[in-house]
């Protein structure tokens, strides 16, 4: 990660870009005129400093240690062949950009205190040719790769759905959804740094890990499939009861906590299904209707690409919502409705004052609400309790789409 006096604001980013441009021009002039370069032993004054920035202040820095305010923003660039993941922090009511991690097409990014996990796909002719799927683990401070694991070409490449790949609860395995030619889940041993096998599963989607090498998936009949597996990928499977009706359509980016086993899943109309998932099975909680009958008549509903977040200690559900027409559940929203995770009682409503596509909440005692606008390429932070906007950062790539916070 390259830093210039730890600068991260727009003006300072512009200054860095200006410096890079002037250095590049200077390099071309020197290459074209070697005699001139030989004669000039001293660094030209105009290159020695740009404003108050000195060249000898250029250094390679580390990101700060991981804490509860660390988060990652995945920018797939509207299905571009390459992507970027922004490594960010929200300490001291500010936004910090710690660095970038490059990735392939529609990567899955997973947070851990030990490493940043990424499941990637690239092609040897950029957008054509031989496909290569692989897993990379990155150091959380240098952001350099610490492991590169080849896997079969199995990744489910679709619009980013956070839970079609996941770390196991103990961070020892990565689980990756296979869609074609058959349904399956690829098991990657991160300690041995090898692909183990693809576990055959029925037509079920999303991966919700539980303790003792278990995971759950959502099946077409409205049940969850529980899969327990050993280190060789041998698996046992069983289905839970059906917990929602066929016409209760679920958003494809639910909230799930690996550490708490808490699943919070909204429908297009704002009904919230919840479950606690353990190695013993699934405990389904009473569904919550987040909107009143009057609000439903006024066409209030969830909307956005990543529309729901949850704070474990406070037991609060955060739902991105707005007044909207039917089938506009992927369009951005301006408001966040906060409700008690047990009773569904409305606690507050936060006016974000911006069109927001994705939200997440940090898990500390003074939580930060993080919001991303794909269209405007801006990341905002808010006091999750008081609702006040704290900070923003623009020029965030091409399409900042998915926010990944620390779970533990």
């Amino acid at each position: 990660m390259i830093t210039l006096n730890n600068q991260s604001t727009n003006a300072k980013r512009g200054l860095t870009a200006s410096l890079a441009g002037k250095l590049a021009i200077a390099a071309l002039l020197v290459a074209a005129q070697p005699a001139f370069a030989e004669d000039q032993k001293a660094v030209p004054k105009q290159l020695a400093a740009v404003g108050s920035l000195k060249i000898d202040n250029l250094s390679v820095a580390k990101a700060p240690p991981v804490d509860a305010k660390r988060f990652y923003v995945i920018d797939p660039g509207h299905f571009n062949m390459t992507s970027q993941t922004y490594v960010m922090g929200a300490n001291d009511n500010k936004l910090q950009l710690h660095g970038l991690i490059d990735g392939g097409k529609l990567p899955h990014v997973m947070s851990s205190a030990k490493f940043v996990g990424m499941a990637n796909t690239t092609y040897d002719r950029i957008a054509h040719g031989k496909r290569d799927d692989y897993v990379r683990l990155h150091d959380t401070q240098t952001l350099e790769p610490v492991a590169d694991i080849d896997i079969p070409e199995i990744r489910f490449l679709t619009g980013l759905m956070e839970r079609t790949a996941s770390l196991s609860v103990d961070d020892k395995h990565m689980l990756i959804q296979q869609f074609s030619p058959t349904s399956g889940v690829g098991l990657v041993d991160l300690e041995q740094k090898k692909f183990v096998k693809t576990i055959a599963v029925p037509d079920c989607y999303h991966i919700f890990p539980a303790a003792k090498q278990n995971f759950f998936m959502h099946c077409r009949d409205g049940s969850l499939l529980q899969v327990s597996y050993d280190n060789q990928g041998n698996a046992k499977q069983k289905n839970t009861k059906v917990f929602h009706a066929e016409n209760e359509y679920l958003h494809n980016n639910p909230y799930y906590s690996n550490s708490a086993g808490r699943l919070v899943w909204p429908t297009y109309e704002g009904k919230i299904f919840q479950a606690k998932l353990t190695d013993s099975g699934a405990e389904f909680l009473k569904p919550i209707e987040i909107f009143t009958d009057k609000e439903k008549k006024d066409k209030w509903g969830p909307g956005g690409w990543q529309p729901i977040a949850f704070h474990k200690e406070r037991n609060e559900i955060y739902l991105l919502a707005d007044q909207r027409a039917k089938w506009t559940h992927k369009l951005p929203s301006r408001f966040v409705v906060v409700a008690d995770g047990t009773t569904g009682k409305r606690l507050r409503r936060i006016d974000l004052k911006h069109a927001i596509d994705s939200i997440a909440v940090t898990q500390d005692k003074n939580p930060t609400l993080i919001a991303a606008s794909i269209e405007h390429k801006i990341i905002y932070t808010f006091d999750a309790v008081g609702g006040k906007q704290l900070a923003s950062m623009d020029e965030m790539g091409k399409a900042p789409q998915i926010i990944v916070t620390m779970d533990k």
Side-chain angles (χ1 to χ4, degrees):
M1 178 178 63
I2 302 295
T3 62
L4 293 161
N5 291 341
N6 296 321
Q7 298 174 84
S8 61
T9 63
N10 294 336
K12 292 171 182 175
R13 286 202 300 269
L15 183 59
T16 303
S18 174
L19 173 62
K22 290 181 181 181
L23 289 175
I25 292 169
L28 288 172
L29 289 172
V30 170
Q33 302 180 52
F36 173 80
E38 276 293 316
D39 292 341
Q40 302 298 317
K41 300 299 183 183
V43 177
K45 290 182 179 180
Q46 65 269 29
L47 293 181
V50 180
S52 62
L53 182 66
K54 295 182 179 180
I55 290 176
D56 57 10
N57 282 350
L58 186 66
S59 63
V60 178
K62 293 182 179 180
V66 170
D67 62 14
K69 295 293 191 184
R70 168 75 71 92
F71 65 97
Y72 305 90
V73 179
I74 309 169
D75 176 6
H78 299 296
F79 288 79
N80 281 8
M81 298 309 298
T82 59
S83 61
Q84 290 183 313
T85 295
Y86 295 90
V87 183
M88 306 190 73
N91 282 298
D92 302 320
N93 295 336
K94 299 177 182 178
L95 262 174
Q96 301 93 27
L97 177 59
H98 299 316
L100 297 173
I101 301 175
D102 290 323
K105 186 177 180 68
L106 298 169
H108 286 104
V109 178
M110 289 146 270
S111 64
S112 164
K114 305 173 186 176
F115 52 77
V116 185
M118 294 186 71
N120 275 300
T121 295
T122 59
Y123 294 83
D124 66 356
R125 292 294 183 269
I126 303 178
H128 304 279
K130 184 180 178 182
R131 173 172 164 169
D132 183 22
D133 286 10
Y134 61 97
V135 166
R136 258 195 185 158
L137 307 182
H138 292 258
D139 184 273
T140 60
Q141 290 190 266
T142 67
L143 309 184
E144 292 292 331
V146 293
D148 195 316
I149 307 168
D150 187 51
I151 64 173
E153 284 60 59
I154 63 171
R155 290 188 59 232
F156 186 14
L157 294 182
T158 183
L160 281 184
M161 293 192 291
E162 185 182 3
R163 284 291 166 178
T164 49
S166 183
L167 296 175
S168 60
V169 169
D170 56 13
D171 292 338
K172 292 181 178 179
H173 297 101
M174 186 181 288
L175 303 158
I176 301 173
Q177 173 93 49
Q178 173 180 288
F179 176 71
S180 179
T182 59
S183 297
V185 174
L187 177 64
V188 183
D189 188 322
L190 300 180
E191 293 188 328
Q192 299 296 320
K193 297 180 175 57
K194 67 177 184 178
F195 180 81
V196 179
K197 69 179 293 184
T198 298
I199 301 170
V201 296
D203 197 12
C204 305
Y205 300 85
H206 298 81
I207 299 170
F208 308 114
K212 299 180 182 178
Q213 298 189 179
N214 283 262
F215 64 87
F216 291 78
M217 304 182 77
H218 178 236
C219 302
R220 287 184 181 271
D221 65 356
S223 69
L224 294 180
L225 176 73
Q226 182 178 356
V227 181
S228 58
Y229 62 94
D230 63 19
N231 290 337
Q232 289 72 48
N234 302 307
K236 297 180 180 179
Q237 305 178 12
K238 61 181 179 180
N239 285 81
T240 69
K241 70 176 185 179
V242 173
F243 70 94
H244 72 91
E246 185 177 356
N247 63 350
E248 292 177 311
Y249 304 117
L250 303 178
H251 274 264
N252 57 20
N253 268 320
Y255 170 87
Y256 183 70
S257 165
N258 278 17
S259 63
R262 185 68 172 266
L263 177 63
V264 187
W265 209 334
T267 68
Y268 293 0
E269 289 75 32
K271 186 176 184 178
I272 309 291
F273 290 98
Q274 295 189 83
K276 294 180 180 179
L277 307 181
T278 68
D279 58 295
S280 300
E283 176 192 353
F284 293 99
L285 308 183
K286 183 179 179 181
I288 291 171
E289 289 287 354
I290 208 83
F291 300 111
T292 65
D293 291 340
K294 183 180 185 305
E295 286 173 328
K296 290 178 182 178
K297 288 181 180 179
D298 291 336
K299 298 184 177 180
W300 279 90
W305 191 259
Q306 191 177 5
I308 194 159
F310 182 77
H311 192 274
K312 294 179 290 184
E313 185 176 334
R314 296 178 64 88
N315 191 34
E316 291 181 342
I317 296 171
Y318 294 73
L319 186 68
L320 187 60
D322 214 324
Q323 291 175 288
R324 58 189 348 103
K326 191 174 183 179
W327 307 119
T328 64
H329 54 280
K330 284 297 181 187
L331 298 183
S333 299
R334 174 174 166 165
F335 302 90
V336 168
V337 175
V338 185
D340 182 273
T342 302
T343 65
K345 179 183 177 181
R346 179 76 56 82
L347 302 175
R348 56 193 177 276
R349 189 177 77 175
I350 301 172
D351 184 351
L352 303 176
K353 299 181 181 178
H354 308 283
I356 297 300
D357 297 273
S358 300
I359 60 169
V361 173
T362 62
Q363 294 298 321
D364 50 319
K365 290 186 179 296
N366 299 301
T368 300
L369 172 64
I370 306 160
S373 169
I374 294 176
E375 180 182 359
H376 298 290
K377 306 171 183 61
I378 301 177
I379 303 298
Y380 301 93
T381 55
F382 300 82
D383 180 334
V385 179
K388 178 184 177 182
Q389 182 176 318
L390 302 174
S392 67
M393 189 176 289
D394 63 2
E395 299 182 13
M396 298 298 294
K398 297 179 179 179
Q401 187 168 339
I402 291 287
I403 307 164
V404 179
T405 54
M406 302 303 299
D407 183 47
K408 304 175 186 178

